[in-house]
Amino acid sequence: MATFDVVIPTSKNIEETHFSICYTLRSILAQSIQPQNIYVVENVPNTGVKEHINRSFGNLVKVIDGLNKPINIAYARNLGAKMSQSDILVFMDDDVIIGRNDFCQKVIEIMKYNDFCCGAKRFWTTTEWHKYLSLSFQMNHNLQILKSKSFLPQSIERSTGNKNCSEFTYIGNFGAIKKDVFNSLEGFDENYEGWLYQDTDLIMRLCVNNYKYEILAYTDIFCYHLGHPADKQLYRKINKEKYFKKQEQLKIKFNNSNFFGRFDSDNVEVITYSE
């Protein structure tokens, strides 16, 4: 079986996030097959993440200093990927919990025949999740609580009327890619600032280069996203402009909703090429 590593960037104070990364790590360590390494990349100073993880997980998790480019999630993910010697990279966010303990095995099986995969069903909690979960509970018990407390969003952007596909995981949120494919595309684009559009950009470039993929939602793989307040407006406008500029350079239009399998009646393809 192919080897895999997990890369998780983190950029918030561990107490402010109610120790969400600890639930993420426990859901990985509960998997029926284990990664060679779990890399947590600390991307903001003074989060307390390294100290707590070392104390709670010891040598099961490696914490990497990602402060050369703080608040740059693309850099953090790339840095973790550079540490890996495995065949497959699995990316996760620090607020995502894998929904069942056989899902890593299923993902690696899917990667036998694909270059990358993502798009697991992403169930969301409210921001009050920390009031009913506990690190003192067994992980299976926490998963049962999440099953009863979470919901699958069907989000519409008010400005455009388009779906934002938040019910699926993007490749950085919970997805996998072959290491050699990741390297061939030079990973996530670090020109994006903070958060937003890095995942979509990588998926777009993978599709442009005709790499083969699987949408995990259609194999019944799911995860839970621990809700939290987030103000991404600072990066939204800047990164959106960079993202559309790159499409102009590539002379394409990447149809995000269609990538996840929501085909419109006009039969728009995932990639539309212009003259």
Side-chain angles (χ1 to χ4, degrees):
M1 180 176 288
T3 59
F4 70 103
D5 288 332
V6 178
V7 177
I8 306 169
T10 188
S11 58
K12 296 184 182 69
N13 181 279
I14 195 166
E15 293 185 0
E16 290 177 0
T17 60
H18 306 289
F19 301 91
S20 65
I21 192 170
C22 295
Y23 293 92
T24 300
L25 291 170
R26 286 185 61 192
S27 75
I28 298 168
L29 294 170
Q31 292 297 301
S32 58
I33 63 168
Q34 289 291 295
Q36 297 292 307
N37 297 283
I38 303 173
Y39 297 109
V40 171
V41 186
E42 197 171 13
N43 199 220
V44 166
N46 304 317
T47 62
V49 167
K50 182 176 182 179
E51 294 79 7
H52 187 84
I53 287 178
N54 286 344
R55 186 167 59 249
S56 300
F57 298 96
N59 60 9
L60 294 174
V61 179
K62 297 177 175 63
V63 182
I64 300 167
D65 182 342
L67 298 177
N68 281 345
K69 289 187 180 180
I71 319 179
N72 186 316
I73 199 168
Y75 166 76
R77 287 171 176 155
N78 289 343
L79 183 61
K82 286 177 184 176
M83 301 290 178
S84 173
Q85 299 298 315
S86 290
D87 306 309
I88 295 168
L89 297 165
V90 174
F91 290 102
M92 292 182 66
D93 279 338
D94 63 356
D95 51 12
V96 169
I97 295 177
I98 302 172
R100 234 176 43 210
N101 65 8
D102 62 341
F103 282 173
C104 276
Q105 181 174 351
K106 289 181 178 294
V107 166
I108 300 310
E109 288 172 355
I110 287 168
M111 290 298 293
K112 289 180 183 177
Y113 311 104
N114 291 280
D115 297 305
F116 73 103
C117 62
C118 60
K121 288 182 181 178
R122 179 162 50 154
F123 292 86
W124 290 64
T125 72
T126 69
T127 57
E128 301 293 301
W129 62 267
H130 56 93
K131 294 183 178 180
Y132 46 81
L133 298 185
S134 174
L135 291 171
S136 66
F137 296 162
Q138 291 185 348
M139 199 60 210
N140 281 340
H141 184 46
N142 281 320
L143 290 175
Q144 287 301 311
I145 295 171
L146 285 168
K147 184 177 180 180
S148 66
K149 294 281 190 178
S150 303
F151 61 94
L152 192 66
Q154 299 288 320
S155 303
I156 303 295
E157 296 286 355
R158 294 177 63 184
S159 59
T160 64
N162 296 330
K163 290 183 63 62
N164 67 13
C165 298
S166 59
E167 71 267 36
F168 297 104
T169 61
Y170 286 70
I171 195 165
N173 185 247
F174 179 51
I177 183 170
K178 289 180 177 174
K179 178 78 182 295
D180 58 349
V181 172
F182 186 81
N183 289 340
S184 72
L185 293 180
E186 300 182 345
F188 291 93
D189 187 342
E190 296 176 19
N191 288 314
Y192 290 102
E193 300 180 27
W195 295 267
L196 295 174
Y197 288 98
Q198 298 91 344
D199 294 67
T200 312
D201 175 280
L202 179 57
I203 292 170
M204 174 180 70
R205 287 183 284 127
L206 285 162
C207 289
V208 166
N209 287 278
N210 296 314
Y211 286 111
K212 189 175 180 181
Y213 66 91
E214 182 80 53
I215 299 298
L216 299 176
Y218 304 117
T219 55
D220 294 326
I221 293 177
F222 63 90
C223 65
Y224 299 105
H225 185 116
L226 301 177
H228 57 84
D231 184 6
K232 298 182 179 179
Q233 294 307 313
L234 175 64
Y235 311 111
R236 187 178 299 277
K237 184 175 185 297
I238 296 170
N239 287 351
K240 186 175 182 179
E241 289 175 356
K242 291 182 178 181
Y243 172 65
F244 284 119
K245 182 68 175 178
K246 183 173 285 191
Q247 290 192 66
E248 290 177 9
Q249 294 168 349
L250 295 172
K251 296 183 178 180
I252 64 159
K253 170 65 177 176
F254 179 68
N255 300 292
N256 194 40
S257 293
N258 293 67
F259 169 77
F260 290 108
R262 296 185 174 277
F263 298 101
D264 296 330
S265 58
D266 58 0
N267 294 318
V268 174
E269 301 291 340
V270 172
I271 299 281
T272 303
Y273 292 90
S274 59
E275 294 296 331

